[in-house]
Amino acid sequence: MERLDKFLCDSGVGSRSQVKPILKAGRVTVDGIVIRDGAVKVDPGKQTVCLDGSPLGGKQRLVVMMNKPEGFVTATEDREERTVMELLPSELRCQDLKPVGRLDKATEGLLLFTNDGDLLHRLISPKKEVPKVYYARHEGAATQEDVEAFASGMVLRDGTKCLPAVLEAIGPGESLVTVCEGKYHQVRRMMAARGMHVSYLERRKEGPLTLDGLPRGQVRMLSEAEIQELEGNTGNMP
Ligand code: URA
């Protein structure tokens, strides 16, 4: 059993505050009876909830892509900092979305959210090896030795062991870095360990997904086909 207003939110009708006037207007029925009180408990497995006469499907699996701007922490809540949740449009805020992995406050780019706990764990598991591609601007220039150090799996100064990663110099002080895990400040720390302090970092790719022109600070929902492609991508390193 769950609250009717939560069920309506999960079905994509709107946020809690948007759902309230819809209920008040008598547009929602449970087994044919108009219910105006969002606190009423419903059993979606046994009862039929309709909006304007059309049955609702309940919780849908959602995956949302954000182009994260710098200045926001990846957390569901934080006492001091602005969080990435604040960038979600209101109708998505009540959908139990959680960030998939983490981008640092200063890092920009592709950040996924999902309400599917299993998918979330599969995507962040280093065993699944979903490759993530980062663009880094940094001090110095990546050498062949740096490329080999990344490829052989680096051990950071504090003993953190990194899986093999791909470092590709694309210009003076500019590189692409591909990693299959998400350790704390991983790319910045790997680059720093090779004497290349990172001044700017952007995640450009995760598995098969790219930002593909999504403006900074904006979000878009992934289609079911995109979600399936993402799930199927257990990411062999390029
Ligand atoms: N590596 C980092 O150092 N920072 C990020 O935000 C992501 C990967």
Side-chain angles (χ1 to χ4, degrees):
M1 300 287 273
E2 62 181 292
R3 282 177 63 114
L4 177 58
D5 50 8
K6 168 126 191 358
F7 175 84
L8 294 170
C9 285
D10 287 347
S11 301
V13 172
S15 64
R16 284 260 169 121
S17 55
Q18 288 168 332
V19 152
K20 229 177 184 176
I22 291 173
L23 281 159
K24 232 175 170 185
R27 294 170 58 191
V28 177
T29 57
V30 178
D31 286 343
I33 296 163
V34 172
I35 305 287
R36 292 188 159 85
D37 179 2
V40 165
K41 294 276 169 61
V42 292
D43 180 349
K46 294 191 183 136
Q47 294 174 294
T48 306
V49 181
C50 292
L51 171 66
D52 298 332
S54 303
L56 295 169
K59 185 168 173 171
Q60 295 168 323
R61 178 166 76 154
L62 297 178
V63 183
V64 173
M65 180 196 293
M66 174 183 286
N67 186 345
K68 178 193 173 299
E70 58 97 27
F72 291 81
V73 295
T74 308
T76 48
E77 47 193 340
D78 194 282
R79 285 200 183 175
E80 279 145 35
E81 307 277 6
R82 290 182 299 172
T83 75
V84 289
M85 306 311 281
E86 294 169 37
L87 296 164
L88 292 174
S90 60
E91 68 276 13
L92 288 178
R93 286 201 199 156
C94 61
Q95 300 278 355
D96 286 336
L97 289 168
K98 304 265 178 343
V100 178
R102 185 172 297 209
L103 288 182
D104 304 333
K105 183 177 168 188
T107 302
E108 301 194 312
L110 199 161
L111 179 64
L112 297 176
F113 296 76
T114 184
N115 61 356
D116 179 340
D118 289 342
L119 178 62
L120 191 149
H121 287 113
R122 272 180 278 135
L123 286 173
I124 60 178
S125 164
K127 284 194 202 116
K128 296 289 176 190
E129 294 194 356
V130 177
K132 297 164 226 357
V133 182
Y134 295 85
Y135 164 81
R137 268 203 299 274
H138 53 84
E139 281 170 357
T143 63
Q144 189 53 32
E145 284 100 78
D146 296 324
V147 171
E148 283 161 17
F150 271 58
S152 62
M154 287 172 59
V155 180
L156 303 178
R157 217 179 300 157
D158 66 352
T160 304
K161 291 195 179 94
C162 301
L163 290 172
V166 178
L167 172 64
E168 185 195 346
I170 54 170
E174 285 182 298
S175 296
L176 293 178
V177 179
T178 306
V179 294
C180 287
E181 49 185 351
K183 295 199 163 89
Y184 178 70
H185 286 184
Q186 182 161 359
V187 173
R188 292 175 196 274
R189 289 198 296 153
M190 289 172 83
M191 294 294 282
R194 302 294 308 176
M196 294 178 281
H197 175 79
V198 170
S199 57
Y200 176 79
L201 191 63
E202 179 190 40
R203 180 150 70 198
R204 293 200 168 162
K205 207 163 181 264
E206 179 157 354
L209 300 168
T210 60
L211 284 166
D212 200 22
L214 181 67
R216 194 80 75 208
Q218 299 293 302
V219 300
R220 77 167 179 88
M221 307 260 270
L222 297 195
S223 66
E224 191 51 40
E226 285 176 307
I227 298 173
Q228 278 172 21
E229 202 190 339
L230 182 63
E231 282 195 297
N233 189 279
T234 50
N236 304 313
M237 288 288 280

PDB file of all heavy atoms in Angstrom, residues 68 74 102-108 134 179 181-190 198 201 203, ligand 1:
ATOM      1  N   LYS A  68      25.956  18.637 -15.992  1.00  0.00           N
ATOM      2  CA  LYS A  68      26.184  19.304 -14.703  1.00  0.00           C
ATOM      3  C   LYS A  68      27.096  20.528 -14.859  1.00  0.00           C
ATOM      4  O   LYS A  68      28.178  20.413 -15.430  1.00  0.00           O
ATOM      5  CB  LYS A  68      26.822  18.304 -13.726  1.00  0.00           C
ATOM      6  CG  LYS A  68      27.162  18.897 -12.368  1.00  0.00           C
ATOM      7  CD  LYS A  68      28.070  17.941 -11.594  1.00  0.00           C
ATOM      8  CE  LYS A  68      28.597  18.529 -10.314  1.00  0.00           C
ATOM      9  NZ  LYS A  68      29.414  19.733 -10.466  1.00  0.00           N
ATOM     10  N   THR A  74      27.446  16.603  -5.897  1.00  0.00           N
ATOM     11  CA  THR A  74      26.623  15.452  -6.247  1.00  0.00           C
ATOM     12  C   THR A  74      26.195  14.770  -4.953  1.00  0.00           C
ATOM     13  O   THR A  74      26.932  13.969  -4.379  1.00  0.00           O
ATOM     14  CB  THR A  74      27.415  14.463  -7.134  1.00  0.00           C
ATOM     15  OG1 THR A  74      27.966  15.184  -8.236  1.00  0.00           O
ATOM     16  CG2 THR A  74      26.523  13.363  -7.661  1.00  0.00           C
ATOM     17  N   ARG A 102      29.369   9.944  -9.023  1.00  0.00           N
ATOM     18  CA  ARG A 102      29.589  11.287  -8.494  1.00  0.00           C
ATOM     19  C   ARG A 102      30.495  12.103  -9.408  1.00  0.00           C
ATOM     20  O   ARG A 102      31.464  11.569  -9.937  1.00  0.00           O
ATOM     21  CB  ARG A 102      30.264  11.129  -7.136  1.00  0.00           C
ATOM     22  CG  ARG A 102      30.470  12.393  -6.373  1.00  0.00           C
ATOM     23  CD  ARG A 102      30.960  12.067  -5.005  1.00  0.00           C
ATOM     24  NE  ARG A 102      29.942  11.289  -4.296  1.00  0.00           N
ATOM     25  CZ  ARG A 102      29.786  11.298  -2.988  1.00  0.00           C
ATOM     26  NH1 ARG A 102      30.581  12.022  -2.251  1.00  0.00           N
ATOM     27  NH2 ARG A 102      28.852  10.577  -2.418  1.00  0.00           N
ATOM     28  N   LEU A 103      30.144  13.369  -9.566  1.00  0.00           N
ATOM     29  CA  LEU A 103      31.091  14.318 -10.154  1.00  0.00           C
ATOM     30  C   LEU A 103      31.426  15.328  -9.064  1.00  0.00           C
ATOM     31  O   LEU A 103      30.533  15.775  -8.331  1.00  0.00           O
ATOM     32  CB  LEU A 103      30.476  15.042 -11.356  1.00  0.00           C
ATOM     33  CG  LEU A 103      30.272  14.236 -12.644  1.00  0.00           C
ATOM     34  CD1 LEU A 103      29.694  15.125 -13.747  1.00  0.00           C
ATOM     35  CD2 LEU A 103      31.559  13.591 -13.116  1.00  0.00           C
ATOM     36  N   ASP A 104      32.686  15.701  -8.962  1.00  0.00           N
ATOM     37  CA  ASP A 104      33.097  16.686  -7.962  1.00  0.00           C
ATOM     38  C   ASP A 104      32.372  18.013  -8.195  1.00  0.00           C
ATOM     39  O   ASP A 104      31.933  18.290  -9.309  1.00  0.00           O
ATOM     40  CB  ASP A 104      34.597  17.002  -8.077  1.00  0.00           C
ATOM     41  CG  ASP A 104      35.452  15.775  -7.972  1.00  0.00           C
ATOM     42  OD1 ASP A 104      35.017  14.809  -7.345  1.00  0.00           O
ATOM     43  OD2 ASP A 104      36.562  15.805  -8.541  1.00  0.00           O
ATOM     44  N   LYS A 105      32.381  18.829  -7.142  1.00  0.00           N
ATOM     45  CA  LYS A 105      31.746  20.150  -7.241  1.00  0.00           C
ATOM     46  C   LYS A 105      32.266  20.939  -8.458  1.00  0.00           C
ATOM     47  O   LYS A 105      31.519  21.578  -9.178  1.00  0.00           O
ATOM     48  CB  LYS A 105      32.017  20.920  -5.941  1.00  0.00           C
ATOM     49  CG  LYS A 105      31.372  22.260  -5.859  1.00  0.00           C
ATOM     50  CD  LYS A 105      31.649  22.888  -4.502  1.00  0.00           C
ATOM     51  CE  LYS A 105      31.255  24.342  -4.499  1.00  0.00           C
ATOM     52  NZ  LYS A 105      31.680  25.022  -3.283  1.00  0.00           N
ATOM     53  N   ALA A 106      33.574  20.864  -8.684  1.00  0.00           N
ATOM     54  CA  ALA A 106      34.171  21.671  -9.762  1.00  0.00           C
ATOM     55  C   ALA A 106      34.052  20.999 -11.140  1.00  0.00           C
ATOM     56  O   ALA A 106      34.320  21.635 -12.153  1.00  0.00           O
ATOM     57  CB  ALA A 106      35.643  21.925  -9.455  1.00  0.00           C
ATOM     58  N   THR A 107      33.670  19.734 -11.171  1.00  0.00           N
ATOM     59  CA  THR A 107      33.640  19.007 -12.449  1.00  0.00           C
ATOM     60  C   THR A 107      32.304  19.216 -13.143  1.00  0.00           C
ATOM     61  O   THR A 107      31.257  19.256 -12.501  1.00  0.00           O
ATOM     62  CB  THR A 107      33.882  17.497 -12.203  1.00  0.00           C
ATOM     63  OG1 THR A 107      35.137  17.335 -11.547  1.00  0.00           O
ATOM     64  CG2 THR A 107      33.901  16.721 -13.505  1.00  0.00           C
ATOM     65  N   GLU A 108      32.369  19.337 -14.463  1.00  0.00           N
ATOM     66  CA  GLU A 108      31.160  19.545 -15.258  1.00  0.00           C
ATOM     67  C   GLU A 108      30.869  18.292 -16.077  1.00  0.00           C
ATOM     68  O   GLU A 108      31.668  17.362 -16.126  1.00  0.00           O
ATOM     69  CB  GLU A 108      31.354  20.740 -16.185  1.00  0.00           C
ATOM     70  CG  GLU A 108      31.661  22.022 -15.422  1.00  0.00           C
ATOM     71  CD  GLU A 108      31.523  23.275 -16.270  1.00  0.00           C
ATOM     72  OE1 GLU A 108      32.056  23.299 -17.390  1.00  0.00           O
ATOM     73  OE2 GLU A 108      30.891  24.214 -15.808  1.00  0.00           O
ATOM     74  N   TYR A 134      36.631  11.443 -19.828  1.00  0.00           N
ATOM     75  CA  TYR A 134      36.762  12.805 -19.298  1.00  0.00           C
ATOM     76  C   TYR A 134      37.699  13.624 -20.181  1.00  0.00           C
ATOM     77  O   TYR A 134      38.726  13.104 -20.655  1.00  0.00           O
ATOM     78  CB  TYR A 134      37.368  12.782 -17.893  1.00  0.00           C
ATOM     79  CG  TYR A 134      36.491  12.105 -16.874  1.00  0.00           C
ATOM     80  CD1 TYR A 134      36.526  10.720 -16.712  1.00  0.00           C
ATOM     81  CD2 TYR A 134      35.624  12.843 -16.078  1.00  0.00           C
ATOM     82  CE1 TYR A 134      35.720  10.094 -15.780  1.00  0.00           C
ATOM     83  CE2 TYR A 134      34.812  12.226 -15.138  1.00  0.00           C
ATOM     84  CZ  TYR A 134      34.867  10.849 -15.000  1.00  0.00           C
ATOM     85  OH  TYR A 134      34.058  10.234 -14.087  1.00  0.00           O
ATOM     86  N   VAL A 179      38.234   6.004 -17.734  1.00  0.00           N
ATOM     87  CA  VAL A 179      38.335   5.127 -16.553  1.00  0.00           C
ATOM     88  C   VAL A 179      37.032   4.326 -16.441  1.00  0.00           C
ATOM     89  O   VAL A 179      35.993   4.739 -16.933  1.00  0.00           O
ATOM     90  CB  VAL A 179      38.574   5.917 -15.238  1.00  0.00           C
ATOM     91  CG1 VAL A 179      39.911   6.605 -15.236  1.00  0.00           C
ATOM     92  CG2 VAL A 179      37.451   6.912 -14.981  1.00  0.00           C
ATOM     93  N   GLU A 181      35.914   3.172 -13.352  1.00  0.00           N
ATOM     94  CA  GLU A 181      35.505   3.169 -11.948  1.00  0.00           C
ATOM     95  C   GLU A 181      35.362   4.621 -11.510  1.00  0.00           C
ATOM     96  O   GLU A 181      35.634   5.534 -12.298  1.00  0.00           O
ATOM     97  CB  GLU A 181      36.537   2.423 -11.097  1.00  0.00           C
ATOM     98  CG  GLU A 181      37.936   2.881 -11.389  1.00  0.00           C
ATOM     99  CD  GLU A 181      39.025   2.097 -10.674  1.00  0.00           C
ATOM    100  OE1 GLU A 181      38.710   1.282  -9.792  1.00  0.00           O
ATOM    101  OE2 GLU A 181      40.193   2.336 -10.982  1.00  0.00           O
ATOM    102  N   GLY A 182      34.954   4.824 -10.271  1.00  0.00           N
ATOM    103  CA  GLY A 182      34.686   6.201  -9.837  1.00  0.00           C
ATOM    104  C   GLY A 182      35.202   6.465  -8.445  1.00  0.00           C
ATOM    105  O   GLY A 182      34.443   6.819  -7.550  1.00  0.00           O
ATOM    106  N   LYS A 183      36.505   6.263  -8.281  1.00  0.00           N
ATOM    107  CA  LYS A 183      37.087   6.531  -6.959  1.00  0.00           C
ATOM    108  C   LYS A 183      37.158   8.039  -6.716  1.00  0.00           C
ATOM    109  O   LYS A 183      37.192   8.826  -7.663  1.00  0.00           O
ATOM    110  CB  LYS A 183      38.490   5.923  -6.885  1.00  0.00           C
ATOM    111  CG  LYS A 183      38.465   4.401  -6.984  1.00  0.00           C
ATOM    112  CD  LYS A 183      39.757   3.806  -6.457  1.00  0.00           C
ATOM    113  CE  LYS A 183      39.566   2.340  -6.176  1.00  0.00           C
ATOM    114  NZ  LYS A 183      39.856   1.504  -7.340  1.00  0.00           N
ATOM    115  N   TYR A 184      37.245   8.403  -5.435  1.00  0.00           N
ATOM    116  CA  TYR A 184      37.246   9.806  -5.031  1.00  0.00           C
ATOM    117  C   TYR A 184      38.299  10.617  -5.803  1.00  0.00           C
ATOM    118  O   TYR A 184      39.478  10.259  -5.786  1.00  0.00           O
ATOM    119  CB  TYR A 184      37.505   9.849  -3.512  1.00  0.00           C
ATOM    120  CG  TYR A 184      37.577  11.219  -2.930  1.00  0.00           C
ATOM    121  CD1 TYR A 184      36.431  12.007  -2.826  1.00  0.00           C
ATOM    122  CD2 TYR A 184      38.788  11.741  -2.496  1.00  0.00           C
ATOM    123  CE1 TYR A 184      36.490  13.279  -2.284  1.00  0.00           C
ATOM    124  CE2 TYR A 184      38.865  13.010  -1.954  1.00  0.00           C
ATOM    125  CZ  TYR A 184      37.710  13.774  -1.849  1.00  0.00           C
ATOM    126  OH  TYR A 184      37.772  15.030  -1.333  1.00  0.00           O
ATOM    127  N   HIS A 185      37.850  11.662  -6.497  1.00  0.00           N
ATOM    128  CA  HIS A 185      38.743  12.568  -7.245  1.00  0.00           C
ATOM    129  C   HIS A 185      39.703  11.785  -8.152  1.00  0.00           C
ATOM    130  O   HIS A 185      40.861  12.192  -8.330  1.00  0.00           O
ATOM    131  CB  HIS A 185      39.574  13.429  -6.276  1.00  0.00           C
ATOM    132  CG  HIS A 185      38.779  14.520  -5.624  1.00  0.00           C
ATOM    133  ND1 HIS A 185      39.344  15.446  -4.796  1.00  0.00           N
ATOM    134  CD2 HIS A 185      37.473  14.836  -5.661  1.00  0.00           C
ATOM    135  CE1 HIS A 185      38.426  16.283  -4.348  1.00  0.00           C
ATOM    136  NE2 HIS A 185      37.272  15.917  -4.868  1.00  0.00           N
ATOM    137  N   GLN A 186      39.205  10.698  -8.701  1.00  0.00           N
ATOM    138  CA  GLN A 186      40.125   9.757  -9.346  1.00  0.00           C
ATOM    139  C   GLN A 186      40.959  10.348 -10.480  1.00  0.00           C
ATOM    140  O   GLN A 186      42.185  10.210 -10.501  1.00  0.00           O
ATOM    141  CB  GLN A 186      39.342   8.551  -9.883  1.00  0.00           C
ATOM    142  CG  GLN A 186      40.270   7.536 -10.522  1.00  0.00           C
ATOM    143  CD  GLN A 186      39.645   6.175 -10.654  1.00  0.00           C
ATOM    144  OE1 GLN A 186      38.515   5.972 -10.251  1.00  0.00           O
ATOM    145  NE2 GLN A 186      40.373   5.246 -11.229  1.00  0.00           N
ATOM    146  N   VAL A 187      40.291  11.008 -11.415  1.00  0.00           N
ATOM    147  CA  VAL A 187      41.034  11.503 -12.585  1.00  0.00           C
ATOM    148  C   VAL A 187      42.025  12.588 -12.152  1.00  0.00           C
ATOM    149  O   VAL A 187      43.197  12.587 -12.544  1.00  0.00           O
ATOM    150  CB  VAL A 187      40.064  12.016 -13.671  1.00  0.00           C
ATOM    151  CG1 VAL A 187      40.829  12.686 -14.804  1.00  0.00           C
ATOM    152  CG2 VAL A 187      39.213  10.859 -14.204  1.00  0.00           C
ATOM    153  N   ARG A 188      41.536  13.505 -11.294  1.00  0.00           N
ATOM    154  CA  ARG A 188      42.431  14.574 -10.822  1.00  0.00           C
ATOM    155  C   ARG A 188      43.649  13.979 -10.107  1.00  0.00           C
ATOM    156  O   ARG A 188      44.777  14.433 -10.289  1.00  0.00           O
ATOM    157  CB  ARG A 188      41.676  15.503  -9.857  1.00  0.00           C
ATOM    158  CG  ARG A 188      40.592  16.324 -10.541  1.00  0.00           C
ATOM    159  CD  ARG A 188      39.804  17.137  -9.517  1.00  0.00           C
ATOM    160  NE  ARG A 188      38.563  17.613 -10.098  1.00  0.00           N
ATOM    161  CZ  ARG A 188      38.440  18.738 -10.802  1.00  0.00           C
ATOM    162  NH1 ARG A 188      39.480  19.517 -10.982  1.00  0.00           N
ATOM    163  NH2 ARG A 188      37.280  19.083 -11.304  1.00  0.00           N
ATOM    164  N   ARG A 189      43.400  12.945  -9.281  1.00  0.00           N
ATOM    165  CA  ARG A 189      44.513  12.364  -8.514  1.00  0.00           C
ATOM    166  C   ARG A 189      45.475  11.575  -9.416  1.00  0.00           C
ATOM    167  O   ARG A 189      46.681  11.595  -9.222  1.00  0.00           O
ATOM    168  CB  ARG A 189      43.976  11.477  -7.382  1.00  0.00           C
ATOM    169  CG  ARG A 189      43.333  12.314  -6.273  1.00  0.00           C
ATOM    170  CD  ARG A 189      43.196  11.541  -4.996  1.00  0.00           C
ATOM    171  NE  ARG A 189      42.289  10.414  -5.135  1.00  0.00           N
ATOM    172  CZ  ARG A 189      42.349   9.311  -4.402  1.00  0.00           C
ATOM    173  NH1 ARG A 189      43.288   9.174  -3.478  1.00  0.00           N
ATOM    174  NH2 ARG A 189      41.490   8.346  -4.590  1.00  0.00           N
ATOM    175  N   MET A 190      44.917  10.871 -10.402  1.00  0.00           N
ATOM    176  CA  MET A 190      45.793  10.124 -11.322  1.00  0.00           C
ATOM    177  C   MET A 190      46.675  11.095 -12.113  1.00  0.00           C
ATOM    178  O   MET A 190      47.879  10.863 -12.281  1.00  0.00           O
ATOM    179  CB  MET A 190      44.954   9.268 -12.291  1.00  0.00           C
ATOM    180  CG  MET A 190      44.284   8.079 -11.628  1.00  0.00           C
ATOM    181  SD  MET A 190      43.137   7.230 -12.730  1.00  0.00           S
ATOM    182  CE  MET A 190      44.255   6.173 -13.631  1.00  0.00           C
ATOM    183  N   VAL A 198      45.219  19.198 -12.749  1.00  0.00           N
ATOM    184  CA  VAL A 198      44.051  19.449 -13.617  1.00  0.00           C
ATOM    185  C   VAL A 198      43.380  20.764 -13.211  1.00  0.00           C
ATOM    186  O   VAL A 198      43.035  20.968 -12.046  1.00  0.00           O
ATOM    187  CB  VAL A 198      43.035  18.275 -13.504  1.00  0.00           C
ATOM    188  CG1 VAL A 198      41.719  18.622 -14.195  1.00  0.00           C
ATOM    189  CG2 VAL A 198      43.626  17.001 -14.104  1.00  0.00           C
ATOM    190  N   LEU A 201      37.842  19.932 -15.619  1.00  0.00           N
ATOM    191  CA  LEU A 201      37.494  18.533 -15.900  1.00  0.00           C
ATOM    192  C   LEU A 201      36.026  18.435 -16.300  1.00  0.00           C
ATOM    193  O   LEU A 201      35.159  19.013 -15.631  1.00  0.00           O
ATOM    194  CB  LEU A 201      37.752  17.683 -14.652  1.00  0.00           C
ATOM    195  CG  LEU A 201      37.697  16.163 -14.822  1.00  0.00           C
ATOM    196  CD1 LEU A 201      38.787  15.671 -15.778  1.00  0.00           C
ATOM    197  CD2 LEU A 201      37.858  15.462 -13.466  1.00  0.00           C
ATOM    198  N   ARG A 203      33.130  15.463 -17.754  1.00  0.00           N
ATOM    199  CA  ARG A 203      32.821  14.115 -18.229  1.00  0.00           C
ATOM    200  C   ARG A 203      32.021  14.249 -19.522  1.00  0.00           C
ATOM    201  O   ARG A 203      30.981  14.909 -19.543  1.00  0.00           O
ATOM    202  CB  ARG A 203      32.005  13.330 -17.185  1.00  0.00           C
ATOM    203  CG  ARG A 203      31.693  11.926 -17.696  1.00  0.00           C
ATOM    204  CD  ARG A 203      31.579  10.917 -16.586  1.00  0.00           C
ATOM    205  NE  ARG A 203      30.388  11.129 -15.784  1.00  0.00           N
ATOM    206  CZ  ARG A 203      30.232  10.620 -14.563  1.00  0.00           C
ATOM    207  NH1 ARG A 203      31.195   9.909 -14.010  1.00  0.00           N
ATOM    208  NH2 ARG A 203      29.125  10.835 -13.888  1.00  0.00           N
TER     209      ARG A 203
HETATM  210  N1  URA B   1      37.475  12.162 -11.412  1.00  0.00           N
HETATM  211  C1  URA B   1      37.638  13.303 -10.719  1.00  0.00           C
HETATM  212  O1  URA B   1      38.747  13.605 -10.283  1.00  0.00           O
HETATM  213  N2  URA B   1      36.580  14.084 -10.511  1.00  0.00           N
HETATM  214  C2  URA B   1      35.340  13.795 -10.973  1.00  0.00           C
HETATM  215  O2  URA B   1      34.410  14.540 -10.747  1.00  0.00           O
HETATM  216  C3  URA B   1      35.196  12.607 -11.703  1.00  0.00           C
HETATM  217  C4  URA B   1      36.268  11.818 -11.909  1.00  0.00           C
END
